[in-house]
Amino acid sequence: LVTGAGGSIGAELCRQVVQFKPAKLILLDASEENLYRIQMELHHELNFLNYLPILTQLQNYSLVEKIFQQHKPSLVLHAAAYKHVPLIETNPWEAITNNVLTSKNLIEIAIRYDVSRFVLVSTDKAVRPTNVMGASKRLTELIMIAHSQAKMSTSFMAVRFGNVLGSSGSVIPLFKNQIARGGPVTVT
């Protein structure tokens, strides 16, 4: 199961996972366009047909729990998150709701349904965070660590990505645009 499956990082995770020929790949995303795009790529370009696209927000706790109950995923790759620092700075409660509370619920559902491995896609901004987005991801990591210390069958791990070139959050297109307009180039 991949959350944020249609995003730039989630979609790449899907591309990598299909190489291992999983029995089923569950794609969760809140963006209809992004979910459709990765569905079509899996189907028509990668010839992988064992997928189930589910258009939902992870805040829909009862539906997410039903998905786990019905499909019993063994691996969760949790890439869904708000990642744009300036937007999160002006909408901090959304970072808490989406990045922290939703991830906490997903972790608890994964434990309840005996998911073997849970991988949290985090950010380099979670290291000594200086902004709301980094703090929200660090808090999510700490919640995951707290759950992982209980004796259970689910293994938890996190991976921190920096500015992923070509991702929807990449700063490179902004820099190119600023340079094309003659500057200045803004660095936060």
Side-chain angles (χ1 to χ4, degrees):
L1 182 143
V2 179
T3 71
S8 48
I9 293 171
E12 183 58 32
L13 289 172
C14 291
R15 291 179 199 107
Q16 297 296 320
V17 166
V18 299
Q19 296 177 37
F20 296 97
K21 299 181 180 12
K24 184 184 294 181
L25 179 58
I26 302 166
L27 314 167
L28 297 185
D29 206 293
S31 168
E32 178 186 21
E33 180 181 350
N34 288 350
L35 186 59
Y36 178 75
R37 191 178 313 123
I38 189 60
Q39 176 186 1
M40 292 299 99
E41 182 180 338
L42 292 174
H43 194 99
H44 298 290
E45 294 176 34
L46 299 177
N47 297 313
F48 182 81
L49 307 178
N50 298 328
Y51 61 84
L52 175 63
I54 301 175
L55 181 64
T56 188
Q57 295 184 351
L58 290 176
Q59 292 88 341
N60 187 341
Y61 186 88
S62 60
L63 177 60
V64 172
E65 186 162 33
K66 283 179 188 174
I67 293 164
F68 277 73
Q69 185 178 33
Q70 183 176 358
H71 299 286
K72 299 182 182 9
S74 59
L75 169 66
V76 172
L77 301 172
H78 181 36
Y82 287 145
K83 300 173 179 95
H84 296 274
V85 172
L87 282 173
I88 295 305
E89 288 297 310
T90 56
N91 300 279
W93 291 112
E94 288 303 313
I96 299 304
T97 300
N98 192 66
N99 293 358
V100 179
L101 298 178
T102 298
S103 296
K104 175 188 169 290
N105 290 339
L106 190 64
I107 288 165
E108 291 172 355
I109 291 171
I111 292 168
R112 191 164 34 259
Y113 290 94
D114 294 318
V115 168
S116 177
R117 294 187 185 275
F118 185 103
V119 180
L120 171 68
V121 176
S122 191
T123 173
D124 61 342
K125 291 165 187 67
V127 180
R128 293 185 299 281
T130 59
N131 56 58
V132 175
M133 194 279 288
S136 73
K137 294 299 279 184
R138 179 62 181 146
L139 186 52
T140 301
E141 290 177 2
L142 292 172
I143 290 168
M144 185 191 70
I145 290 167
H147 280 85
S148 73
Q149 293 177 350
K151 292 189 177 183
M152 64 188 77
S153 59
T154 305
S155 295
F156 291 95
M157 58 218 70
V159 59
R160 289 178 174 163
F161 290 151
N163 193 339
V164 179
L165 297 179
S167 73
S168 63
S170 176
V171 74
I172 301 302
L174 172 64
F175 287 168
K176 285 182 175 181
N177 189 324
Q178 290 174 336
I179 291 166
R181 291 191 328 245
V185 174
T186 57
V187 179
T188 58

